[in-house]
Amino acid sequence: MESLRRLSFVSCIALLAYFAFLASAEHHVRQFVIAPRPVTRLCRTHQSITVNGQFPGPTLEVRNGDSVAITVINRARYNISIHWHGLRQMRNPWADGPEYITQCPIRPGQSYTYKFTIEDQEGTLWWHAHSRWLRATVYGALIIYPRLGSPYPFSMPKRDIPILLGEWWDRNPMDVLRQAQFTGAAANVSDAYTINGQPGDLYRCSRAGTMRFPIFPGETVQLRVINAGMNQELFFSVANHQLTVVETDSAYTKPFTTNVIMLGPGQTTNVLITANQRPGRYYMAARAYNSANAPFDNTTTTAILQYVNAPTRRGRGRGRGQMAPVFPVLPGFNDTATATAFTNRLRYWKRAPVPQQIDENLFFTVGLGLINCANPNSPRCQGPNGTRFAASINNMSFVLPRRNSVMQAYYQGMPGIFTTDFPPVPPVQFDYTGNVSRALWQPIKGTKAYKLKYRANVQIVLQDTSIVTPENHPMHLHGYQFYVVGSGFGNFNPRTDPARFNLFDPPERNTIGTPPGGWVAIRFVADNPGAWFMIASFAKTSIGQNIGIFTNTHLKE
């Protein structure tokens, strides 16, 4: 009898805790209106696609455990969908957002409501359009705070400052994409980088709009830095201030200090910064890290960290006013050593639950390719030597469906939309980072998926190739967080390299870059049924980003 009383007491406590959790969770109802509005940058005004008239779009602030319903109303002239980058969307792939993968796009004049719950996630993520190049202007921050009463695993900062790094084209980004898709050549590089939508002091007609962030002496703030650029890795630094890294991709890290961070497209990094310098004005700055032998935007975007007690310059007329900001020391654009050193310092904040025994061992070569043309002199074949650029994973170049989404086809058993014969290893083994035979440069086009068993322990080795040019390829896996257990330069050696894997505290991410001319290994548990994109960015083409899809068989079992 006594044991029953104790059991009832424990059960009551558990129920009370559960109901308290439900009471603390909030339901957020929002509306995103997608529409053009005039945006002036670099001395010119464009009708840019925006959300609720804002560029960048509104910041979503929620807590772990909250539920969200966002109705997207499309008043633009393009189809659109919205992706919640980094959200796991557990058992909810329909809300993930990539067009023709988990949904058909929202057509002009139509609307769609995304419904999802934040489950066991906290930190900095972001949202963006997932329809062609609309995300050049349609994006915003997604901040997930801990549950009420749950502290950070580091000293609480005074406040947060979202820092969204972006790319700006001095023309309609959709026209840039359309031209590249027509010619098969590399897309034009951006004309500016931006911080919270503004290029900064170093660009024409931009000084007045430069972002300024006031800070009090001695204050510690958290910068939530997001690379919302289309394809470019970026270095970021603040003059004369140390950055303490505490989180990447909504996963806490063991804190460490650095002068500079590097973010690939889609990655987020939270840093603490303390106003412990002489009162003044200090530039935040971001510029390209470019590992490919390819054109890139070699400009620098700036914002200003301004102490509230910063002195002003004495004098009269033009000699009077604020002191000039101090500029940070940024790495060279091709400083792979600095980029690698930063990435190698990242560690999960405690012992990580990394899969130890592997059920699915996949090896993906990631790189560029060239599609041969019957008429090399055609205006549609303006890539190298009369070819068309393509992207490739295991010699497959993904083609998006156009009639139905992969999810709909899978659930309803529709034939002819996709196949499930994506190769788990390259069809042909070769010296991936050496002098590759031109016979291997042409990928095969198709809409292929790779099926994973539910709850399988998965390892994927992503191997860069030297086809066209080696480069750092940022890879984003939808629906999952994964552990980055190892990386290196050259060809992956399955006999010796696994011995160096970090299976204790590897960083957890949702987006990772393959080292230029190297490899990276990731592990995760396939515990989230759905059709999930795996997408790579290619600086050389900026088009037709190659995609692998993972569909858990548990969807229909």
Side-chain angles (χ1 to χ4, degrees):
M1 182 65 73
E2 183 64 27
S3 61
L4 286 175
R5 287 197 190 98
R6 288 177 180 172
L7 180 61
S8 298
F9 178 75
V10 171
S11 299
C12 288
I13 293 295
L15 281 172
L16 287 172
Y18 175 70
F19 287 129
F21 160 70
L22 290 179
S24 66
E26 293 186 37
H27 180 59
H28 303 262
V29 179
R30 299 286 293 272
Q31 191 176 86
F32 278 10
V33 179
I34 312 296
R37 61 151 289 184
V39 177
T40 301
R41 299 289 186 273
L42 308 182
C43 311
R44 296 182 62 186
T45 300
H46 299 272
Q47 289 294 319
S48 298
I49 306 301
T50 64
V51 177
N52 298 347
Q54 301 176 44
F55 169 65
T59 296
L60 292 177
E61 296 181 89
V62 298
R63 289 191 180 275
N64 186 11
D66 288 358
S67 59
V68 181
I70 298 179
T71 298
V72 177
I73 301 170
N74 188 3
R75 294 179 182 164
R77 59 191 176 106
Y78 306 106
N79 291 345
I80 198 168
S81 65
I82 301 294
H83 171 51
W84 317 94
H85 190 108
L87 270 188
R88 294 246 12 225
Q89 301 284 12
M90 294 297 293
R91 304 167 303 282
N92 189 37
W94 303 102
D96 191 45
E99 65 176 4
Y100 294 112
I101 300 299
T102 59
Q103 69 172 93
C104 289
I106 307 166
R107 295 180 178 179
Q110 296 185 346
S111 65
Y112 180 79
T113 300
Y114 293 90
K115 298 179 181 179
F116 51 86
T117 299
I118 312 298
E119 295 188 44
D120 297 323
Q121 284 188 274
E122 53 191 65
T124 303
L125 297 173
W126 64 301
W127 58 265
H128 59 83
H130 213 301
S131 302
R132 296 165 291 174
W133 271 29
L134 290 177
R135 74 177 173 94
T137 57
V138 178
Y139 62 85
L142 170 54
I143 299 174
I144 307 172
Y145 298 108
R147 289 188 175 97
L148 288 172
S150 297
Y152 292 119
F154 50 85
S155 298
M156 184 77 173
K158 188 76 173 180
R159 55 194 171 91
D160 289 341
I161 302 177
I163 302 291
L164 289 97
L165 310 177
E167 293 181 80
W168 177 263
W169 277 262
D170 201 16
R171 58 183 294 199
N172 183 351
M174 295 292 279
D175 291 341
V176 177
L177 174 64
R178 190 177 296 114
Q179 179 185 12
Q181 289 177 327
F182 178 82
T183 63
N188 291 337
V189 300
S190 58
D191 296 287
Y193 301 115
T194 58
I195 295 178
N196 291 3
Q198 293 290 344
D201 285 353
L202 306 184
Y203 297 90
R204 65 184 186 275
C205 305
S206 299
R207 184 176 296 274
T210 298
M211 295 299 302
R212 290 166 172 81
F213 302 102
I215 193 168
F216 289 88
E219 183 180 33
T220 296
V221 300
Q222 181 171 221
L223 305 183
R224 297 179 178 267
V225 188
I226 301 166
N227 185 348
M230 292 296 296
N231 295 289
Q232 188 64 61
E233 296 91 354
L234 294 168
F235 288 117
F236 174 85
S237 185
V238 181
N240 289 12
H241 288 76
Q242 289 280 299
L243 308 175
T244 300
V245 177
V246 293
E247 179 200 308
T248 57
D249 291 358
S250 78
Y252 295 122
T253 65
K254 288 183 170 68
F256 67 90
T257 57
T258 179
N259 294 319
V260 64
I261 62 175
M262 193 280 288
L263 302 92
Q267 291 184 329
T268 70
T269 301
N270 286 17
V271 298
L272 303 180
I273 183 171
T274 299
N276 55 11
Q277 298 298 302
R278 178 180 300 177
R281 304 168 74 231
Y282 299 87
Y283 273 129
M284 299 177 180
R287 65 175 296 185
Y289 163 51
N290 187 65
S291 58
N293 181 20
F296 69 101
D297 178 356
N298 194 18
T299 61
T300 302
T301 181
T302 57
I304 298 173
L305 184 71
Q306 183 165 314
Y307 284 59
V308 295
N309 60 340
T312 57
R313 186 190 299 119
R314 296 180 179 179
R316 295 183 178 181
R318 298 183 64 180
R320 181 180 177 86
Q322 296 177 322
M323 301 291 289
V326 180
F327 203 86
V329 177
L330 286 165
F333 72 86
N334 58 352
D335 192 344
T336 294
T338 294
T340 303
F342 169 74
T343 301
N344 287 345
R345 294 184 70 185
L346 297 171
R347 293 288 185 272
Y348 194 60
W349 69 292
K350 58 183 179 180
R351 180 159 190 169
V354 185
Q356 302 292 314
Q357 302 298 320
I358 299 302
D359 303 311
E360 294 270 5
N361 200 345
L362 308 177
F363 185 80
F364 289 175
T365 54
V366 184
L368 293 167
L370 299 175
I371 302 293
N372 294 327
C373 296
N375 179 10
N377 297 319
S378 167
R380 296 186 62 84
C381 298
Q382 295 185 30
N385 301 315
T387 61
R388 294 178 59 84
F389 273 119
S392 170
I393 295 181
N394 281 359
N395 205 45
M396 295 300 309
S397 194
F398 190 82
V399 178
L400 278 173
R402 279 293 178 260
R403 291 188 289 119
N404 288 294
S405 71
V406 170
M407 278 289 293
Q408 182 181 2
Y410 185 77
Y411 260 88
Q412 299 180 0
M414 297 178 180
I417 304 298
F418 72 99
T419 60
T420 57
D421 55 346
F422 187 90
V425 296
V428 177
Q429 292 187 355
F430 57 96
D431 181 3
Y432 309 113
T433 56
N435 188 13
V436 182
S437 168
R438 291 297 292 264
L440 300 175
W441 283 37
Q442 179 159 314
I444 299 169
K445 291 186 176 182
T447 308
K448 296 180 181 291
Y450 188 85
K451 295 179 73 172
L452 294 171
K453 273 193 172 183
Y454 181 63
R455 296 205 63 82
N457 291 337
V458 183
Q459 176 176 290
I460 307 176
V461 175
L462 302 164
Q463 172 72 61
D464 185 29
T465 77
S466 57
I467 295 176
V468 182
T469 179
E471 67 170 299
N472 182 309
H473 302 292
M475 305 283 296
H476 173 51
L477 177 57
H478 290 222
Y480 287 96
Q481 294 276 108
F482 49 77
Y483 295 100
V484 184
V485 297
S487 63
F489 292 95
N491 296 333
F492 174 72
N493 187 324
R495 292 183 300 277
T496 60
D497 285 329
R500 299 186 292 110
F501 283 178
N502 176 7
L503 302 181
F504 182 80
D505 60 353
E508 185 182 22
R509 308 214 67 150
N510 60 58
T511 305
I512 190 64
T514 57
W519 56 272
V520 63
I522 65 174
R523 289 187 179 186
F524 61 95
V525 179
D527 60 356
N528 193 11
W532 304 108
F533 239 172
M534 189 172 196
I535 184 165
S537 291
F538 295 86
K540 183 75 175 178
T541 61
S542 301
I543 61 173
Q545 296 171 329
N546 192 82
I547 304 125
I549 301 176
F550 296 81
T551 305
N552 285 334
T553 56
H554 192 67
L555 270 172
K556 295 169 68 176
E557 293 178 355

